[in-house]
Amino acid sequence: MRTPTLRIIERPELNAYASGLHEGRYSVTVTRGLMGALDRDEMEAVLAHELTHVINKDVRTMVIASIFAGIISVMAELVFRGLFYSRGGRGGNNKNAGPLILIGLAIAVIGFVLAAVIRMMLSRTREYVADAGAAELTKNPDAMISALRKVSGQSKLEAPDELRGMFLDNQEKGAGFAGLFATHPPIEKRIDALVRFAGGRDLPPVEPRTAPSTSVPPTY
């Protein structure tokens, strides 16, 4: 495969994503904060994670899914507007105006929810697969686990909803309704999957060593 273009976002947050529709147009984007926070093995694991999205072509799937989700949202809004503005002549002579508006509102809500669920379900599934792909490509699941630990809680990056669904991690949106509307699985579940199925070890973070004090007490 051709090497995707590498792009850098000059932001301190820790995140990354892959994008593109076909060979020669794929790119992998990382933040400057991610590059500074991860060591070589951890960065290699994250890049392998994003490359797995490219290899599996689920980057294209997410783009297409976002397009269809957008179409569903637009159609739902058009139906609602059509029913709202066709409620009858002036003065409220149409007795069916109220029920028609409620039907239009229900269709719009269902459409928006369905569009959101399509994007989120696809995104959550692809993250587990990409984590597994990173472990397979690098033969180092521990590095992927360590990278996820560092990214956790540091990944919030302002971007459109469609783009956040493609991020390495996106936890700022609430996981209401038992996580139904979360675009990504929790970091803990992703790490648990790497431990159970990839043989990874969830090691505690290494505390930085402190050099013994060599300072001389001041004399007065």
Side-chain angles (χ1 to χ4, degrees):
M1 62 176 291
R2 293 177 60 180
T3 303
T5 303
L6 177 64
R7 304 183 190 279
I8 300 173
I9 300 176
E10 298 293 343
R11 293 291 302 172
E13 295 84 357
L14 312 186
N15 227 318
Y17 69 93
S19 61
L21 284 174
H22 54 79
E23 187 75 18
R25 294 291 183 179
Y26 292 119
S27 65
V28 173
T29 303
V30 300
T31 61
R32 182 68 67 180
L34 188 77
M35 296 174 63
L38 304 189
D39 63 27
R40 185 181 186 281
D41 289 344
E42 293 163 348
M43 179 58 71
E44 183 181 61
V46 169
L47 293 178
H49 172 105
E50 300 304 335
L51 283 176
T52 300
H53 287 313
V54 175
I55 294 170
N56 294 342
K57 293 184 171 58
D58 61 20
V59 171
R60 182 168 56 188
T61 301
M62 280 296 294
V63 172
I64 294 173
S66 296
I67 292 172
F68 275 102
I71 292 173
I72 293 173
S73 298
V74 170
M75 292 300 296
E77 185 172 354
L78 288 176
V79 170
F80 172 71
R81 290 178 179 271
L83 290 173
F84 183 81
Y85 288 112
S86 65
R87 62 185 183 274
R90 296 177 182 176
N93 294 328
N94 189 349
K95 297 181 179 179
N96 295 325
L100 285 176
I101 293 175
L102 290 177
I103 291 172
L105 181 60
I107 292 174
V109 171
I110 292 172
F112 285 123
V113 171
L114 181 61
V117 169
I118 288 174
R119 287 197 299 263
M120 293 169 185
M121 290 301 294
L122 283 173
S123 182
R124 281 186 287 179
T125 301
R126 68 196 282 274
E127 294 307 320
Y128 283 120
V129 175
D131 287 344
E136 182 179 5
L137 288 173
T138 64
K139 305 296 188 272
N140 188 1
D142 294 354
M144 190 68 225
I145 291 173
S146 179
L148 288 174
R149 283 289 181 208
K150 288 185 178 181
V151 167
S152 180
Q154 306 295 325
S155 63
K156 187 175 182 180
L157 187 65
E158 293 300 326
D161 290 342
E162 292 79 7
L163 185 57
R164 283 202 294 262
M166 302 172 71
F167 281 170
L168 172 68
D169 179 52
N170 177 37
Q171 299 295 333
E172 74 270 14
K173 289 219 165 183
F177 298 100
L180 177 63
F181 294 102
T183 60
H184 286 57
I187 291 288
E188 292 296 335
K189 288 188 177 181
R190 293 170 65 178
I191 291 175
D192 181 63
L194 286 168
V195 171
R196 293 174 58 193
F197 303 113
R201 296 172 298 165
D202 186 13
L203 301 175
V206 178
E207 295 293 336
R209 294 181 178 180
T210 56
S213 177
T214 56
S215 60
V216 178
T219 56
Y220 298 96

